[in-house]
Amino acid sequence: MLLKIMIALVFLAMVISLAAGAGFLIRDGGRSRRVLVSLKLRVGLAALLLILLGYGFYLGDLGT
């Protein structure tokens, strides 16, 4: 159950980072580095999400 909560929180953080990056892009016009930092964070969260999913399937907590 804890693993599923962690997966949901990481996914939610990815969506928040996506919205923040879109806001930075609209406000700054792509001239600041905040969009790049948001993208880096989102890539790191996606990697963490894949690791958590792989771990969950390996343990059998996720799936059938």
Side-chain angles (χ1 to χ4, degrees), residues 1-11 49 52-53 56 60-63:
M1 184 68 177
L2 180 63
L3 182 63
K4 291 180 184 180
I5 293 171
M6 288 175 57
I7 290 171
L9 289 176
V10 170
F11 183 76
L49 182 63
L52 287 173
L53 287 171
D61 290 343
L62 303 174

mmCIF file of all heavy atoms in Angstrom, residues 1-11 49 52-53 56 60-63:
data_model
loop_
_atom_site.group_PDB
_atom_site.id
_atom_site.type_symbol
_atom_site.label_atom_id
_atom_site.label_comp_id
_atom_site.label_asym_id
_atom_site.label_seq_id
_atom_site.Cartn_x
_atom_site.Cartn_y
_atom_site.Cartn_z
ATOM 1 N N MET A 1 0.822 -1.187 0.000
ATOM 2 C CA MET A 1 0.000 0.000 0.000
ATOM 3 C C MET A 1 0.869 1.255 0.000
ATOM 4 O O MET A 1 0.562 2.225 -0.672
ATOM 5 C CB MET A 1 -0.921 -0.041 1.216
ATOM 6 C CG MET A 1 -1.885 1.072 1.267
ATOM 7 S SD MET A 1 -3.069 0.888 -0.058
ATOM 8 C CE MET A 1 -4.123 2.229 0.279
ATOM 9 N N LEU A 2 1.964 1.238 0.753
ATOM 10 C CA LEU A 2 2.873 2.377 0.810
ATOM 11 C C LEU A 2 3.495 2.641 -0.564
ATOM 12 O O LEU A 2 3.665 3.797 -0.958
ATOM 13 C CB LEU A 2 3.959 2.137 1.852
ATOM 14 C CG LEU A 2 4.985 3.248 2.023
ATOM 15 C CD1 LEU A 2 4.301 4.512 2.503
ATOM 16 C CD2 LEU A 2 6.066 2.824 2.969
ATOM 17 N N LEU A 3 3.810 1.585 -1.291
ATOM 18 C CA LEU A 3 4.392 1.729 -2.624
ATOM 19 C C LEU A 3 3.425 2.432 -3.573
ATOM 20 O O LEU A 3 3.828 3.319 -4.335
ATOM 21 C CB LEU A 3 4.789 0.360 -3.174
ATOM 22 C CG LEU A 3 5.454 0.361 -4.544
ATOM 23 C CD1 LEU A 3 6.781 1.110 -4.481
ATOM 24 C CD2 LEU A 3 5.657 -1.049 -5.031
ATOM 25 N N LYS A 4 2.165 2.088 -3.495
ATOM 26 C CA LYS A 4 1.165 2.716 -4.370
ATOM 27 C C LYS A 4 1.001 4.199 -4.026
ATOM 28 O O LYS A 4 0.827 5.029 -4.923
ATOM 29 C CB LYS A 4 -0.172 1.990 -4.251
ATOM 30 C CG LYS A 4 -0.140 0.605 -4.848
ATOM 31 C CD LYS A 4 -1.475 -0.083 -4.712
ATOM 32 C CE LYS A 4 -1.396 -1.500 -5.238
ATOM 33 N NZ LYS A 4 -2.681 -2.192 -5.116
ATOM 34 N N ILE A 5 1.081 4.534 -2.759
ATOM 35 C CA ILE A 5 0.993 5.933 -2.347
ATOM 36 C C ILE A 5 2.209 6.706 -2.847
ATOM 37 O O ILE A 5 2.080 7.836 -3.344
ATOM 38 C CB ILE A 5 0.852 6.036 -0.818
ATOM 39 C CG1 ILE A 5 -0.493 5.464 -0.378
ATOM 40 C CG2 ILE A 5 1.020 7.480 -0.348
ATOM 41 C CD1 ILE A 5 -0.646 5.330 1.111
ATOM 42 N N MET A 6 3.389 6.094 -2.757
ATOM 43 C CA MET A 6 4.596 6.740 -3.251
ATOM 44 C C MET A 6 4.519 6.969 -4.756
ATOM 45 O O MET A 6 4.906 8.040 -5.246
ATOM 46 C CB MET A 6 5.827 5.905 -2.895
ATOM 47 C CG MET A 6 6.183 5.935 -1.438
ATOM 48 S SD MET A 6 7.540 4.840 -0.991
ATOM 49 C CE MET A 6 8.834 5.416 -2.075
ATOM 50 N N ILE A 7 4.012 5.998 -5.500
ATOM 51 C CA ILE A 7 3.858 6.138 -6.945
ATOM 52 C C ILE A 7 2.898 7.271 -7.270
ATOM 53 O O ILE A 7 3.159 8.098 -8.149
ATOM 54 C CB ILE A 7 3.410 4.803 -7.570
ATOM 55 C CG1 ILE A 7 4.548 3.794 -7.512
ATOM 56 C CG2 ILE A 7 2.918 4.987 -8.998
ATOM 57 C CD1 ILE A 7 4.157 2.384 -7.902
ATOM 58 N N ALA A 8 1.795 7.341 -6.551
ATOM 59 C CA ALA A 8 0.814 8.407 -6.783
ATOM 60 C C ALA A 8 1.408 9.779 -6.469
ATOM 61 O O ALA A 8 1.174 10.744 -7.204
ATOM 62 C CB ALA A 8 -0.433 8.155 -5.947
ATOM 63 N N LEU A 9 2.197 9.884 -5.399
ATOM 64 C CA LEU A 9 2.805 11.161 -5.037
ATOM 65 C C LEU A 9 3.841 11.608 -6.068
ATOM 66 O O LEU A 9 3.915 12.796 -6.410
ATOM 67 C CB LEU A 9 3.436 11.075 -3.655
ATOM 68 C CG LEU A 9 2.465 11.005 -2.484
ATOM 69 C CD1 LEU A 9 3.223 10.821 -1.174
ATOM 70 C CD2 LEU A 9 1.606 12.246 -2.431
ATOM 71 N N VAL A 10 4.631 10.671 -6.571
ATOM 72 C CA VAL A 10 5.622 11.019 -7.594
ATOM 73 C C VAL A 10 4.919 11.458 -8.871
ATOM 74 O O VAL A 10 5.326 12.433 -9.511
ATOM 75 C CB VAL A 10 6.585 9.832 -7.852
ATOM 76 C CG1 VAL A 10 7.449 10.084 -9.071
ATOM 77 C CG2 VAL A 10 7.449 9.586 -6.636
ATOM 78 N N PHE A 11 3.854 10.765 -9.233
ATOM 79 C CA PHE A 11 3.100 11.160 -10.426
ATOM 80 C C PHE A 11 2.491 12.549 -10.249
ATOM 81 O O PHE A 11 2.532 13.378 -11.166
ATOM 82 C CB PHE A 11 2.015 10.126 -10.730
ATOM 83 C CG PHE A 11 1.249 10.440 -11.979
ATOM 84 C CD1 PHE A 11 1.812 10.219 -13.219
ATOM 85 C CD2 PHE A 11 -0.029 10.955 -11.910
ATOM 86 C CE1 PHE A 11 1.121 10.523 -14.376
ATOM 87 C CE2 PHE A 11 -0.739 11.253 -13.056
ATOM 88 C CZ PHE A 11 -0.155 11.036 -14.296
ATOM 89 N N LEU A 49 9.846 7.332 -10.932
ATOM 90 C CA LEU A 49 8.579 6.631 -11.129
ATOM 91 C C LEU A 49 8.809 5.277 -11.803
ATOM 92 O O LEU A 49 8.220 4.264 -11.400
ATOM 93 C CB LEU A 49 7.632 7.495 -11.955
ATOM 94 C CG LEU A 49 6.241 6.920 -12.215
ATOM 95 C CD1 LEU A 49 5.486 6.752 -10.911
ATOM 96 C CD2 LEU A 49 5.475 7.813 -13.170
ATOM 97 N N LEU A 52 10.268 2.903 -9.237
ATOM 98 C CA LEU A 52 9.245 2.431 -8.302
ATOM 99 C C LEU A 52 8.314 1.414 -8.953
ATOM 100 O O LEU A 52 7.942 0.414 -8.328
ATOM 101 C CB LEU A 52 8.429 3.614 -7.767
ATOM 102 C CG LEU A 52 9.125 4.523 -6.763
ATOM 103 C CD1 LEU A 52 8.259 5.733 -6.454
ATOM 104 C CD2 LEU A 52 9.467 3.771 -5.502
ATOM 105 N N LEU A 53 7.935 1.664 -10.207
ATOM 106 C CA LEU A 53 7.069 0.713 -10.907
ATOM 107 C C LEU A 53 7.782 -0.618 -11.126
ATOM 108 O O LEU A 53 7.199 -1.692 -10.933
ATOM 109 C CB LEU A 53 6.609 1.303 -12.244
ATOM 110 C CG LEU A 53 5.565 2.402 -12.144
ATOM 111 C CD1 LEU A 53 5.359 3.050 -13.509
ATOM 112 C CD2 LEU A 53 4.263 1.871 -11.597
ATOM 113 N N GLY A 56 7.920 -2.434 -7.875
ATOM 114 C CA GLY A 56 6.608 -2.966 -7.515
ATOM 115 C C GLY A 56 6.245 -4.211 -8.298
ATOM 116 O O GLY A 56 5.709 -5.170 -7.753
ATOM 117 N N GLY A 60 5.900 -8.069 -6.966
ATOM 118 C CA GLY A 60 4.574 -8.630 -7.123
ATOM 119 C C GLY A 60 3.489 -7.811 -6.454
ATOM 120 O O GLY A 60 2.339 -8.243 -6.370
ATOM 121 N N ASP A 61 3.853 -6.629 -5.952
ATOM 122 C CA ASP A 61 2.861 -5.758 -5.320
ATOM 123 C C ASP A 61 1.947 -5.109 -6.341
ATOM 124 O O ASP A 61 0.840 -4.699 -6.031
ATOM 125 C CB ASP A 61 3.535 -4.677 -4.488
ATOM 126 C CG ASP A 61 4.202 -5.235 -3.243
ATOM 127 O OD1 ASP A 61 3.862 -6.373 -2.871
ATOM 128 O OD2 ASP A 61 5.032 -4.525 -2.651
ATOM 129 N N LEU A 62 2.417 -4.975 -7.558
ATOM 130 C CA LEU A 62 1.652 -4.373 -8.635
ATOM 131 C C LEU A 62 1.357 -5.440 -9.683
ATOM 132 O O LEU A 62 2.134 -6.355 -9.879
ATOM 133 C CB LEU A 62 2.421 -3.217 -9.289
ATOM 134 C CG LEU A 62 2.856 -2.095 -8.359
ATOM 135 C CD1 LEU A 62 3.719 -1.101 -9.128
ATOM 136 C CD2 LEU A 62 1.650 -1.398 -7.776
ATOM 137 N N GLY A 63 0.269 -5.320 -10.385
ATOM 138 C CA GLY A 63 -0.055 -6.283 -11.420
ATOM 139 C C GLY A 63 -0.855 -7.435 -10.879
ATOM 140 O O GLY A 63 -1.414 -7.405 -9.790
#
